[in-house]
Amino acid sequence: MAKIIIRVPATSANVGSGMDSIGIAFHLYYTVIVEEATEKWQVNHALGSGIPNDENNLMVQTILKVDPTIHPHQLTVISDVPIAHGLGSSTTAVVAGILIANALGELNLSVADEINLGAKLEGHAENVSAALLGNMTISTFDGEQAKVVNAQMPKVEALFYIRPDGISEVDSRKKLPETIDYQTAVRASSLTNVFVGLVCQGKWDEAVPLVEDDQLHEPYRKDLVPELDVIREKAHELGIYGTYLSGAGPTIATFGEHTKLVELRMALQKLNLNGSLRILTVDQEGATVRGE
């Protein structure tokens, strides 16, 4: 094959109280074209000066962690996934790196192997598993092995409010408490269990309002994203119940029917919020690898 083309979907994590556990893939993509072998790694992209073009690039670092013997190549990245915005931008690079290493090194990794590698690199499995499998994934990771359930979702859409300024996951995690009380833990667990159960039964309309009652991260991060309450209130006025903080923020997602989401987008545009608004559908395929 003269070229290998990798496509990885963006992911939205921490859905409801599914902290570091529930992830959903969306139609927003990080695409990498693996081109000719070179003397040194060269990563061509238009993602800004903060993203390295050489072996220090996260994708290249991932390739070499999976297989240090892989020869350098020229890689061209075309990405619509905003960096540090709670849509899995680092995960797309990590997953692409794993898939490139698997292809160039002829490693014959299984999807389970790829998920475990990604989880070890990221510390949790929900973004990696959702990016690789598509749809919604529910995962747990003990530091060595990830266990993942891939739940088929209906063809739902979400309106994403994407602020121009990002939030680093490190800064966002500093907002989280070291401990929570027992009753809060029980409440969070029950909400997540029922949400997952309803999704697996195909009862999406009953499931989606539960994403608004997060107990584990939204209460501590809300001050970083003041638009969250504004968007949720406006959605409720339109009868839409499905707004949550995506990942570590600052992106906010609202699930709903297309016509309702168009109404919500128009209403939010009138508020002149400092961000972009995009309606995206759930990706049901996951990451792909093809040759040319």
Side-chain angles (χ1 to χ4, degrees):
M1 293 182 291
K3 294 181 181 179
I4 302 169
I5 300 174
I6 310 284
R7 191 181 76 162
V8 184
T11 53
S12 177
N14 301 340
V15 183
S17 287
M19 180 73 180
D20 288 351
S21 175
I22 298 178
I24 301 175
F26 283 93
H27 277 280
L28 200 64
Y29 295 99
Y30 180 96
T31 301
V32 185
I33 304 170
V34 183
E35 301 178 276
E36 69 274 9
T38 52
E39 289 301 313
K40 295 181 179 180
W41 288 100
Q42 175 63 39
V43 184
N44 305 315
H45 64 77
L47 301 176
S49 59
I51 305 299
N53 295 90
D54 55 14
E55 69 275 4
N56 294 309
N57 186 280
L58 177 59
M59 177 171 51
V60 177
Q61 290 181 335
T62 301
I63 294 169
L64 296 177
K65 285 176 181 177
V66 176
D67 185 350
T69 69
I70 289 179
H71 192 82
H73 280 68
Q74 177 168 265
L75 310 173
T76 297
V77 176
I78 304 165
S79 178
D80 295 321
V81 184
I83 297 168
H85 277 72
L87 284 167
S89 59
S90 61
T91 298
T92 58
V94 167
V95 169
I98 293 170
L99 295 175
I100 291 168
N102 192 33
L104 293 180
E106 298 181 350
L107 304 178
N108 295 316
L109 297 173
S110 67
V111 175
D113 292 333
E114 293 168 347
I115 290 173
N116 283 326
L117 283 168
K120 287 177 182 178
L121 292 171
E122 296 215 317
H124 40 91
E126 81 285 4
N127 278 317
V128 170
S129 58
L132 283 165
L133 298 172
N135 277 292
M136 184 175 87
T137 58
I138 308 97
S139 62
T140 185
F141 178 60
D142 63 7
E144 290 296 326
Q145 294 289 320
K147 294 186 182 299
V148 178
V149 175
N150 191 204
Q152 183 74 27
M153 292 185 68
K155 292 183 178 180
V156 296
E157 297 181 337
L159 174 65
F160 284 85
Y161 167 73
I162 306 170
R163 286 175 57 175
D165 54 323
I167 297 176
S168 75
E169 185 171 355
V170 173
D171 290 340
S172 186
R173 282 193 178 265
K174 288 179 181 177
K175 289 286 187 178
L176 302 177
E178 293 185 6
T179 61
I180 58 173
D181 65 80
Y182 183 79
Q183 291 301 322
T184 300
V186 171
R187 174 68 176 161
S189 175
S190 65
L191 284 168
T192 305
N193 293 342
V194 174
F195 171 73
V196 170
L198 288 169
V199 172
C200 291
Q201 288 183 336
K203 298 178 180 179
W204 176 252
D205 290 343
E206 293 181 44
V208 70
L210 297 179
V211 305
E212 294 201 351
D213 198 8
D214 169 60
Q215 304 289 304
L216 298 181
H217 84 120
E218 275 187 17
Y220 310 102
R221 290 168 163 167
K222 283 177 66 173
D223 62 320
L224 294 174
V225 194
E227 298 90 343
L228 178 60
D229 285 338
V230 174
I231 293 172
R232 183 171 285 156
E233 181 180 348
K234 188 61 66 175
H236 287 181
E237 290 176 8
L238 295 171
I240 304 171
Y241 294 85
T243 298
Y244 67 96
L245 184 63
S246 178
T251 291
I252 299 162
T254 302
F255 283 109
E257 296 177 358
H258 182 77
T259 54
K260 285 287 188 180
L261 293 180
V262 171
E263 285 185 56
L264 178 59
R265 182 173 61 187
M266 293 174 62
L268 294 176
Q269 286 171 337
K270 293 178 182 178
L271 299 178
N272 295 317
L273 299 176
N274 184 27
S276 61
L277 294 160
R278 299 188 64 172
I279 296 175
L280 301 175
T281 55
V282 171
D283 174 282
Q284 297 183 319
E285 184 177 14
T288 59
V289 181
R290 62 184 179 89
E292 286 188 351

